[in-house]
Amino acid sequence: MSQSENSGDLSLIGQFGVGFYSVYLVADKVKVRSKHNNDDQYIWESSADSSFSVWKDPEGNTLGRGTEITLFLKEDAGEFLDQDRLEELVLRYSEFITFPIYLHKSKTETVTIEDDEDEEDLDDEDDEEILDEEDEEILDEEDEEEEEEDDTEPKTEQVTTWEWHQVNSQPAIWARDTKEVSDDEYKSFYKSLSKDASDPTTWIHFKAEGEVEFKSILFVPGQVPFDLYDSYHTKNAQLRLYVRKVLITDEFEDLVPRYLNFLRGVVDSDDLPLNVSRETLQQHKVLKVMGKKLVRKALEMLRKLASKSDDDSSDDDDEDEESDTDSDESEEEENKEDPYLDFWEKFGKNIKLGIIEDPANRSKLTKLLRFKSNKSGDGYTSLEKYVENMKEWQKAIYFIAGESVQAVEDSAFLEKVKAKDLEVLYLVDPIDEYAIQHVTEFDGKKLQSVTKEGLKFGDEDEALEKKREKAYKENFKPLTDYLKTLYGDAISKVTVSKRVEKSPCIIVTSQYGNSANMERIMRSQAFTDQQKTGYMASQKTLEINPRHPIISELNTRVQAQGATDDDTIADLAWLLLDNALMQSGFPAYDIQGFNDRMLRSVFQPGLSVDSLDLVPEIEIPEDDEEDEAGADDVDDLDDIDLSDFAGTDEL
């Protein structure tokens, strides 16, 4: 006050802080009664009109020590007189304040009313001795009625009592040392914080030091929120930001990236200012530093969970090598109990979104990826585990994208891979191929799709392969030229394949074009522009299997007849293309043409049908005699005289 008198500035902001000044949002006037231990009791009063008054309390020392604040509420602020509303506000913003906050709450109870008629019954005992027998009988009847009344429910009334109730009873466990907090306390705190009945999957409790200091506990929920992906772009992580245990907000958008929106927890810092608006705090540079540290700790928490899972699985593998006594059922139970696989099945899509959205942490997120593979069985495999199990001569990590595990397992693209006993990752989630496009390599190994051009395995004798490839090209040149001319724009080129074993031919796409699975996903989009999709369609290459008998015979016939217009050979060639397209995940080039060729080339010769012209319609014989007989019967009925049956029972 002395400073304000010298400067002449009577502005209330800064004298008590923004927190106190905000009371004028709901109050017309504020009165503060305060008593210092070594001073008299004073009253401060203001109506937020740039003036205030201070005087000695005429009532004397009524407080003893401390401060009492009285708000004279505005007419439209009556909600703050509701004890439930007050308790809600205290629990939201000051639940973890160190000093206790008590609320004077009312409680309504139902109590039993004592009956005063018992005393009257005692006074009537002396009068009963002088009554005659008739009166006694009457009294007996009255006693029976009174007993029946006693059996009824006693009289009750509603009594309202007032008592002080502590609102902020929940301790701030993040302020304690991690060694002092038990797992049950963490679980109880999570349930109180998130209002979730299930236990968290994992958590991390840490203290950050350096440019900014803060304490935090991050939790991974045990259950997936029902709207996690339905409102992904608008849903933020439920992290509560506290400043000295006072809640500032839980609606920050940029505290952690959107792909970590499943996190729950608290962040408490002493370095952030309390007397600034939330909008200003949102842009505070300290928050950006906090965000980076929170992301790093969150990924560290998931990495530890994944490492623990991998260690447990490796221990199980060692035990299985010693004794093969475990059944398939026990393996499935172990997979279900694996905490990281449980997390992956629930929130794995978030990790894949993080690979797309967070380039700075992409390498860390890549280590958290899990995929099905042709060697993982019912479980999953990681990229680290894949690299550990690679062949010595293997140079790439192979993957295939498809609609489902069953679809990719039966794919013709895996024929050569399975023959070489190589592992292939299955990308069966629609987002998988989007995410994997941002991961060009892992641990020095490039990721290679088995459905695209340029597939190499690394164990080939390059000199021998070049000679064999040259020989096949010369031998099948008549067929490849004929097919390219026949197909026209349906494909970009025809080559001899090195990736198929049993299938006659297959369709592969260019190295940097869309795969069949990606085109399928793009066609399924609600707002797909078909014209734009056509521009983005990948270049298709038909690879023929030179060792397949159908290809060999077709090549022989083309060589014998030259560039012929034989419809039979053309139909078979088109059927090969449609078969390869559908087997590779693409739709048939011409559905109606495919249908016609199937009828001409497969069903007609298979059933020995001479022509596909329709047979005549079935002839219906004319039943003239039956019609005439029916007509005669009608005539006979017309000749019957109904009067002949009058009065009889025959009619």
Side-chain angles (χ1 to χ4, degrees):
M1 291 182 61
S2 60
Q3 293 177 358
S4 64
E5 290 177 358
N6 296 332
S7 62
D9 183 12
L10 296 179
S11 175
L12 295 180
I13 298 180
Q15 305 298 326
F16 298 96
V18 178
F20 178 82
Y21 189 70
S22 63
V23 298
Y24 291 105
L25 297 174
V26 297
D28 292 322
K29 183 175 66 173
V30 179
K31 180 186 291 185
V32 180
R33 180 182 281 111
S34 182
K35 170 68 173 65
H36 190 273
N37 192 36
N38 299 323
D39 199 355
D40 295 329
Q41 184 168 306
Y42 286 88
I43 297 177
W44 178 95
E45 185 178 280
S46 176
S47 300
D49 54 358
S50 300
S51 65
F52 60 88
S53 303
V54 180
W55 68 91
K56 189 174 181 179
D57 193 346
E59 297 181 4
N61 184 8
T62 59
L63 296 178
R65 185 178 181 181
T67 301
E68 176 188 87
I69 301 176
T70 304
L71 306 183
F72 297 85
L73 296 178
K74 298 179 180 180
E75 294 182 359
D76 58 351
E79 62 172 311
F80 298 105
L81 296 175
D82 184 4
Q83 62 183 15
D84 293 333
R85 175 61 171 159
L86 288 176
E87 185 174 10
E88 176 188 348
L89 291 173
V90 173
L91 284 175
R92 175 171 174 78
Y93 294 100
S94 303
E95 182 179 7
F96 302 103
I97 291 292
T98 305
F99 54 83
I101 300 176
Y102 288 90
L103 180 64
H104 202 215
K105 297 181 62 175
S106 64
K107 182 173 63 174
T108 303
E109 297 178 341
T110 302
V111 298
T112 304
I113 301 176
E114 295 182 359
D115 195 354
D116 296 335
E117 295 180 358
D118 296 341
E119 298 179 0
E120 297 178 0
D121 293 340
L122 294 175
D123 296 335
D124 294 340
E125 289 181 358
D126 297 336
D127 298 337
E128 290 181 359
E129 296 179 356
I130 59 176
L131 295 176
D132 55 12
E133 295 180 356
E134 294 180 359
D135 293 337
E136 289 179 358
E137 292 178 358
I138 296 173
L139 288 175
D140 291 340
E141 293 177 358
E142 292 178 354
D143 291 340
E144 290 178 359
E145 294 177 358
E146 290 178 358
E147 290 178 358
E148 292 178 358
E149 293 178 358
D150 293 339
D151 294 338
T152 61
E153 296 182 359
K155 296 181 179 180
T156 60
E157 65 177 354
Q158 301 289 331
V159 177
T160 301
T161 59
W162 291 82
E163 60 182 8
W164 290 100
H165 172 70
Q166 184 177 351
V167 181
N168 60 335
S169 57
Q170 183 71 26
I173 66 172
W174 66 80
R176 296 160 55 186
D177 189 86
T178 56
K179 299 178 181 179
E180 300 176 357
V181 186
S182 64
D183 290 351
D184 292 337
E185 287 181 297
Y186 281 119
K187 294 177 182 178
S188 176
F189 177 76
Y190 166 77
K191 293 178 181 179
S192 170
L193 181 72
S194 64
K195 305 299 183 289
D196 188 355
S198 61
D199 292 335
T201 301
T202 186
W203 60 83
I204 186 171
H205 182 185
F206 63 94
K207 178 181 179 180
E209 297 178 347
E211 184 178 353
V212 59
E213 293 187 4
F214 64 91
K215 297 177 182 179
S216 176
I217 303 179
L218 302 178
F219 294 93
V220 174
Q223 297 295 332
V224 183
F226 69 94
D227 60 342
L228 180 63
Y229 300 116
D230 295 338
S231 55
Y232 174 76
H233 292 285
T234 58
K235 191 176 184 63
N236 301 316
Q238 295 183 14
L239 297 180
R240 294 187 179 185
L241 178 62
Y242 290 83
V243 176
R244 293 184 284 278
K245 300 178 184 177
V246 177
L247 178 66
I248 300 301
T249 185
D250 56 359
E251 298 178 353
F252 273 117
E253 297 181 0
D254 301 327
L255 193 58
V256 294
R258 188 175 289 111
Y259 69 89
L260 293 176
N261 61 2
F262 59 87
L263 290 178
R264 306 288 183 268
V266 296
V267 182
D268 190 0
S269 174
D270 295 340
D271 295 342
L272 292 174
L274 269 173
N275 58 342
V276 295
S277 65
R278 288 177 174 80
E279 291 76 12
T280 304
L281 190 61
Q282 187 89 12
Q283 305 299 327
H284 204 284
K285 65 178 183 178
V286 176
L287 280 184
K288 298 179 180 179
V289 178
M290 291 175 60
K292 292 181 179 179
K293 292 188 176 182
L294 288 172
V295 173
R296 186 169 66 249
K297 286 295 182 179
L299 297 182
E300 178 185 339
M301 169 179 59
L302 296 177
R303 181 182 58 80
K304 289 181 178 179
L305 184 66
S307 300
K308 181 180 178 182
S309 173
D310 294 339
D311 293 341
D312 293 342
S313 62
S314 63
D315 293 341
D316 294 340
D317 293 340
D318 294 339
E319 293 177 1
D320 292 341
E321 290 178 0
E322 294 176 1
S323 58
D324 299 334
T325 57
D326 293 338
S327 62
D328 295 338
E329 296 180 358
S330 63
E331 291 179 359
E332 293 178 0
E333 291 177 358
E334 289 176 2
N335 290 335
K336 291 180 180 179
E337 294 173 358
D338 191 325
Y340 185 74
L341 291 186
D342 181 64
F343 161 80
W344 178 256
E345 291 176 351
K346 294 175 180 177
F347 302 104
K349 197 182 297 291
N350 288 71
I351 303 300
K352 299 169 187 176
L353 288 167
I355 288 179
I356 300 173
E357 300 173 357
D358 191 0
N361 295 294
R362 187 169 293 157
S363 59
K364 296 179 181 179
L365 291 166
T366 304
K367 296 179 181 180
L368 300 175
L369 293 174
R370 296 294 183 271
F371 298 102
K372 296 278 188 180
S373 75
N374 59 329
K375 292 189 176 182
S376 65
D378 295 331
Y380 293 85
T381 187
S382 64
L383 292 178
E384 289 179 313
K385 191 174 182 180
Y386 183 100
V387 173
E388 290 177 2
N389 298 330
M390 286 176 60
K391 305 290 185 181
E392 294 182 359
W393 44 264
Q394 187 176 345
K395 298 180 180 179
I397 299 174
Y398 302 110
F399 68 88
I400 181 172
E403 187 173 1
S404 64
V405 173
Q406 183 178 0
V408 296
E409 278 183 342
D410 300 334
S411 175
F413 290 104
L414 300 185
E415 293 176 355
K416 179 70 74 172
V417 177
K418 290 180 179 179
K420 292 180 176 292
D421 193 29
L422 297 176
E423 186 173 12
V424 182
L425 301 177
Y426 294 162
L427 277 59
V428 294
D429 194 347
I431 197 176
D432 282 347
E433 200 165 1
Y434 285 103
I436 213 68
Q437 290 175 356
H438 296 80
V439 184
T440 56
E441 65 176 26
F442 179 82
D443 197 13
K445 307 292 183 181
K446 292 185 178 181
L447 275 73
Q448 173 68 52
S449 173
V450 298
T451 65
K452 293 189 175 183
E453 292 180 334
L455 180 63
K456 295 182 179 180
F457 297 104
D459 63 335
E460 305 94 342
D461 185 345
E462 294 185 2
L464 180 61
E465 288 295 326
K466 287 183 179 180
K467 293 179 181 180
R468 182 179 288 119
E469 182 180 359
K470 182 178 180 181
Y472 277 135
K473 283 184 177 180
E474 293 177 356
N475 188 21
F476 286 88
K477 191 175 188 307
L479 179 61
T480 55
D481 292 343
Y482 169 75
L483 294 178
K484 182 62 183 76
T485 303
L486 178 67
Y487 297 149
D489 296 335
I491 58 172
S492 60
K493 58 182 176 179
V494 181
T495 62
V496 177
S497 179
K498 296 185 293 184
R499 76 180 74 207
V500 289
E501 287 279 323
K502 302 177 182 179
S503 301
C505 55
I506 206 167
I507 297 291
V508 299
T509 56
S510 58
Q511 184 68 30
Y512 301 102
N514 291 329
S515 66
N517 182 66
M518 184 61 73
E519 289 193 8
R520 176 185 63 84
I521 294 174
M522 294 175 64
R523 288 195 303 269
S524 302
Q525 302 302 315
F527 300 101
T528 298
D529 185 346
Q530 297 296 334
Q531 184 176 3
K532 187 180 296 185
T533 303
Y535 296 149
M536 299 177 65
S538 58
Q539 297 294 321
K540 302 177 181 63
T541 299
L542 177 67
E543 290 190 357
I544 59 175
N545 184 358
R547 299 178 58 194
H548 199 280
I550 292 179
I551 300 298
S552 179
E553 180 63 24
L554 193 60
N555 183 48
T556 302
R557 293 195 181 187
V558 170
Q559 285 179 339
Q561 301 180 13
T564 180
D565 294 332
D566 189 352
D567 293 339
T568 302
I569 295 179
D571 283 348
L572 292 175
W574 276 107
L575 284 176
L576 276 177
L577 176 62
D578 290 331
N579 176 73
L581 285 169
M582 291 185 289
Q583 193 175 21
S584 304
F586 295 97
Y589 181 72
D590 180 8
I591 300 296
Q592 185 59 44
F594 172 73
N595 177 68
D596 295 339
R597 286 188 288 272
M598 285 291 292
L599 295 177
R600 288 196 307 266
S601 303
V602 179
F603 289 98
Q604 183 177 0
L607 297 175
S608 300
V609 177
D610 296 333
S611 174
L612 292 179
D613 296 336
L614 299 179
V615 299
E617 290 186 354
I618 188 171
E619 296 182 359
I620 305 299
E622 297 180 0
D623 299 333
D624 297 337
E625 297 180 356
E626 294 180 2
D627 293 342
E628 293 178 359
D632 294 340
D633 293 340
V634 172
D635 295 339
D636 294 341
L637 289 174
D638 293 338
D639 295 338
I640 296 176
D641 187 1
L642 296 179
S643 62
D644 296 339
F645 297 95
T648 66
D649 297 334
E650 296 181 5
L651 186 60

